[in-house]
Amino acid sequence: MDSMLINEKVSVIVPVFNCKKFIRKCLYSVIEQSYPYIELIIIDDGSTDGSDKIIKELINCKNDIIYIRQINSGVSIARNKGIQCATGKYLLFLDGDDYIGKDYILHLIKEAEKSQSELVIGGYLKVDSDENIIEKVVPNKYIPFEHEEWAYRITAVCSRMYKREVWDRYGIRYEEGVRGEDVPISLFFNRICKNISIVKEA
């Protein structure tokens, strides 16, 4: 599919809590995406380390960023607030210490639109503080009812782009006060999404 023909908005939701060391890189990796139709929603979950100052410097230069600061309530409530504010056709979640490659969203949305997918799963890299690669995980096959293992091996919140309509159809939100809150969400969407596809990129 020609990427020039795609103009669907992707809402990128970033909860932030004391991520001063990483947040600038994270947010700039979203702002500098090659795909232009992005809504960046930052939920500051009561940071106390100066993360909010970095975010405010950024939004003073960019007027198309939604910034919400709340009392510390946990990552699930922060993500749910982002979902409530989102207006995009697709939802993508990053944590404050994640960052994405320049064409990451372009790869995901091209696959979503081409295959009419409700969920697109990509790969990821784990890196150390010097950006040395510790682990590379890339899905290589997804066939419904035959080869679905990658949908269960990759549950990281940053490696999944969802069609927003599915969240609304089932009234899904992140559960509060639990560990690994992204895993139950991933498993649920594996079960209910009508079409799932993968991108063989990290």
Side-chain angles (χ1 to χ4, degrees):
M1 173 174 285
D2 187 347
S3 60
M4 297 298 290
L5 301 177
I6 305 173
N7 59 4
E8 300 291 354
K9 187 190 297 182
V10 178
S11 296
V12 181
I13 297 168
V14 184
V16 178
F17 179 69
N18 290 349
C19 293
K20 181 179 179 180
K21 183 177 178 181
F22 307 105
I23 192 60
R24 191 185 307 274
K25 186 176 184 69
C26 171
L27 298 179
Y28 269 102
S29 78
V30 178
I31 292 168
E32 295 173 352
Q33 286 293 294
S34 60
Y35 184 75
Y37 303 105
I38 293 173
E39 173 182 69
L40 175 54
I41 303 172
I42 306 166
I43 311 295
D44 181 357
D45 191 34
S47 294
T48 58
D49 69 340
S51 294
D52 58 319
K53 294 179 181 177
I54 295 173
I55 296 168
K56 287 173 184 176
E57 289 173 7
L58 179 61
I59 61 178
N60 284 338
C61 303
K62 300 281 290 183
N63 58 12
D64 56 350
I65 297 173
I66 298 171
Y67 173 58
I68 299 170
R69 182 171 169 85
Q70 62 182 29
I71 62 170
N72 180 247
S73 305
V75 66
S76 291
I77 291 178
R79 287 194 188 130
N80 291 340
K81 175 67 75 172
I83 296 169
Q84 179 183 335
C85 297
T87 61
K89 180 178 178 179
Y90 297 99
L91 299 180
L92 178 66
F93 299 91
L94 298 178
D95 287 331
D97 58 351
D98 294 330
Y99 64 95
I100 52 178
K102 187 175 179 64
D103 297 322
Y104 183 63
I105 293 177
L106 178 62
H107 285 307
L108 294 177
I109 197 163
K110 282 175 68 176
E111 177 59 34
E113 290 287 294
K114 180 185 75 174
S115 303
Q116 293 299 293
S117 300
E118 293 184 332
L119 167 62
V120 180
I121 300 170
Y124 61 88
L125 301 173
K126 288 185 177 180
V127 299
D128 63 20
S129 57
D130 295 318
E131 299 190 22
N132 298 308
I133 296 173
I134 300 170
E135 182 180 13
K136 182 176 183 178
V137 178
V138 182
N140 60 21
K141 184 184 290 187
Y142 184 88
I143 302 174
F145 306 107
E146 292 184 29
H147 295 285
E148 297 187 325
E149 61 270 20
W150 281 105
Y152 293 88
R153 290 178 66 181
I154 299 180
T155 59
V157 68
C158 61
S159 291
R160 292 169 160 250
M161 188 177 79
Y162 300 94
K163 195 171 183 180
R164 164 66 188 270
E165 187 273 332
V166 188
W167 290 76
D168 295 337
R169 185 195 312 160
Y170 290 92
I172 300 303
R173 294 297 183 266
Y174 285 94
E175 187 177 356
E176 301 171 19
V178 299
R179 292 190 300 274
E181 74 293 329
D182 51 340
V183 175
I185 289 285
S186 296
L187 298 180
F188 181 79
F189 276 98
N190 288 351
R191 182 168 66 87
I192 57 93
C193 282
K194 294 176 180 177
N195 191 18
I196 298 173
S197 56
I198 63 169
V199 171
K200 298 179 182 180
E201 303 279 351

